[in-house]
Amino acid sequence: MLVAVPVLHSVRGHSTKDYWVWYQTGQTVLRGAEIYPDQWHKFPFMYPPSCALFLAPIAALGQTGLVIVLALVNAAAWICSIIFSVRLATGETRRAHLLDYVVPSLVMGAHVWGNFLLGQPSLVLLALMLGGFIALQRKFHWLAGGLVAIAAAIKAFPVIAILYLVYRRYWIAVASLVLSLTFLLIVLPIPFRGYELAKQDLQRWSSGMLFKYDETGVGQRLGRSTSWKNQSIWGVANRLLRRVEYDHKYEPHEPVYANFSDLDFRTVNRLILASALILGLVFVAVMPPSARFFCRRRPVRRTPETDAIEFALLLLLILVFTPLSFGYLFAWLLYPLTVVVQRLVNGSGSRVILAGFSGAAVVLLALSIPFRVTAQTYGNALFATLLLFAGLAVELWRLKRVAVS
């Protein structure tokens, strides 16, 4: 059904949402035309030029063919995300409890559905990131870096994970990520686009999307980046702490606001950066050391159990600090919820704390159903993500403390 609906929309000539954008972009590449207009025009396509290159051969199949292929890729990515999540959370797949597979997808069902309906690649990105984590555990560091690079070549924000790789001193993974991303963004487009056009694509995308953030908004989403749909800390903080519209529209309309204060742009950004520093320090504080640290009774070291929580915390931080986090992107919560469900089902750790934080997070997410605009205006998905982060951080800290007690 998830695959059939967007395909039927295409066959019947109904709106195909973002699938139409992907088709037009792929056709643009096939014609050798400009993907990104100049600075005076809004980008119809806002992802990296490498992503446009990936879409070109699929667009050659026609619009319906593209919808079929991308919907099937999303379905495969969803299945892989579930299997990889259980593998990371439990250390195995065959003996995992049925609830580990079912509950997270049920909770995140609306967000998963949004990816199929709109044609968004969030599930593909999640599968690539989880595959990278498994590769790290199996010491295939070159593969881990390559998988993160592919994710970043599709949609830039997963590159944030390089900070984690550097901190953990996965130097081979860091080198693989940098080299793979360089190849995908710079080298690969040249044979298909030519040097000058490939260079123009990268320059225009970088200046128009990657490095575009000011009082008006992020990238090409000048109004929408501070609207109720953006659940990142950048969007929520700006609309709640500055007097900016939370329901921006291009046609004439009555402005609406939700701000509690009227801080200036620089102050808001300082608060966001302070939040990043605090959450980053919390993450580092609860992480077990990379090498064995011997205490009085036994060594403290990383285990698959601690890695499962650590990777979940990393994904949650990426969600929080991605400049544009719309609803469909929160399908990434599938993995952190799998970790929570696994620990609750198996009686691992503190059930009360995990159940409390995760239950509150699920309630916050559910508020989008009866109070869609209001709940998201005040950042229900952002605060649900922070609650999951808090619960899992406490759990990882508990494991670390038990090991040294």
Side-chain angles (χ1 to χ4, degrees):
M1 177 181 174
L2 296 179
V3 173
V5 171
V7 174
L8 288 175
H9 284 177
S10 179
V11 171
R12 294 174 178 176
H14 298 165
S15 172
T16 53
K17 307 294 184 180
D18 291 337
Y19 289 107
W20 172 251
V21 178
W22 313 151
Y23 173 68
Q24 289 294 316
T25 301
Q27 287 292 318
T28 299
V29 174
L30 292 174
R31 293 195 306 269
E34 294 183 350
I35 302 173
Y36 310 100
D38 57 39
Q39 60 179 329
W40 309 111
H41 297 84
K42 181 181 178 181
F43 291 1
F45 177 76
M46 290 173 283
Y47 292 2
S50 49
C51 182
L53 202 64
F54 297 156
L55 291 169
I58 309 175
L61 301 174
Q63 180 180 321
T64 300
L66 176 139
V67 173
I68 292 173
V69 170
L70 293 186
L72 288 174
V73 168
N74 255 340
W78 184 23
I79 294 171
C80 288
S81 295
I82 294 172
I83 294 173
F84 292 168
S85 293
V86 174
R87 166 67 176 77
L88 286 165
T90 66
E92 56 187 352
T93 53
R94 294 183 179 180
R95 298 181 181 179
H97 198 286
L98 180 62
L99 293 178
D100 294 335
Y101 293 94
V102 176
V103 172
S105 286
L106 287 178
V107 173
M108 302 312 302
H111 298 79
V112 169
W113 163 237
N115 282 275
F116 282 90
L117 180 64
L118 299 175
Q120 281 291 325
S122 303
L123 293 168
V124 176
L125 303 180
L126 176 60
L128 289 168
M129 295 296 289
L130 296 178
F133 297 154
I134 293 174
L136 286 177
Q137 284 189 328
R138 302 192 66 178
K139 301 188 185 304
F140 298 147
H141 296 175
W142 58 271
L143 177 59
L147 291 174
V148 175
I150 294 172
I154 295 173
K155 201 169 183 178
F157 73 89
V159 77
I160 297 173
I162 196 172
L163 299 175
Y164 170 79
L165 297 177
V166 169
Y167 178 78
R168 278 301 193 189
R169 298 182 181 179
Y170 288 125
W171 301 122
I172 295 177
V174 171
S176 175
L177 193 164
V178 172
L179 292 174
S180 298
L181 196 55
T182 300
F183 173 78
L184 292 170
L185 288 176
I186 299 175
V187 179
L188 182 62
I190 293 176
F192 303 96
R193 301 283 288 166
Y195 175 77
E196 291 299 330
L197 198 53
K199 178 182 177 182
Q200 175 183 286
D201 290 341
L202 187 57
Q203 287 177 338
R204 288 187 175 180
W205 173 74
S206 299
S207 61
M209 280 298 300
L210 197 60
F211 304 117
K212 174 68 171 66
Y213 175 59
D214 54 32
E215 291 90 341
T216 60
V218 178
Q220 299 291 304
R221 300 285 192 173
L222 300 185
R224 195 178 177 191
S225 63
T226 54
S227 75
W228 58 272
K229 295 181 179 181
N230 186 13
Q231 293 294 296
S232 77
I233 194 170
W234 305 92
V236 175
N238 272 282
R239 68 173 172 267
L240 296 186
L241 301 178
R242 294 174 57 217
R243 189 165 176 77
V244 295
E245 292 185 70
Y246 71 78
D247 195 12
H248 176 83
K249 299 175 183 177
Y250 290 103
E251 65 269 13
H253 65 283
E254 184 69 26
V256 286
Y257 304 95
N259 56 302
F260 296 111
S261 62
D262 190 13
L263 303 178
D264 61 84
F265 180 67
R266 181 175 297 181
T267 300
V268 171
N269 282 289
R270 286 173 177 170
L271 292 174
I272 294 173
L273 293 176
S275 300
L277 178 61
I278 293 170
L279 291 176
L281 290 175
V282 169
F283 185 34
V284 170
V286 300
M287 290 165 60
S290 296
R292 292 187 181 185
F293 172 73
F294 286 89
C295 61
R296 294 179 182 177
R297 297 184 179 181
R298 52 182 170 173
V300 180
R301 59 182 173 181
R302 292 175 63 184
T303 65
E305 183 182 19
T306 64
D307 276 352
I309 303 175
E310 188 174 303
F311 294 147
L313 291 174
L314 175 61
L315 289 188
L316 292 171
L317 285 179
I318 292 175
L319 274 180
V320 169
F321 291 102
T322 297
L324 296 171
S325 291
F326 299 117
Y328 46 76
L329 187 55
F330 286 84
W332 274 33
L333 294 181
L334 187 148
Y335 172 62
L337 286 172
T338 301
V339 175
V340 170
V341 170
Q342 188 273 333
R343 300 192 69 76
L344 292 178
V345 167
N346 293 324
S348 303
S350 175
R351 287 188 173 186
V352 175
I353 293 176
L354 272 179
F357 278 106
S358 58
V362 171
V363 170
L364 276 180
L365 290 171
L367 290 177
S368 291
I369 299 175
F371 309 109
R372 179 169 174 257
V373 176
T374 302
Q376 293 186 62
T377 295
Y378 292 100
N380 68 315
L382 169 65
F383 291 111
T385 303
L386 291 173
L387 283 172
L388 284 173
F389 180 87
L392 288 171
V394 169
E395 182 63 8
L396 187 54
W397 176 253
R398 187 194 66 82
L399 290 175
K400 187 176 178 180
R401 295 285 294 178
V402 166
V404 299
S405 61

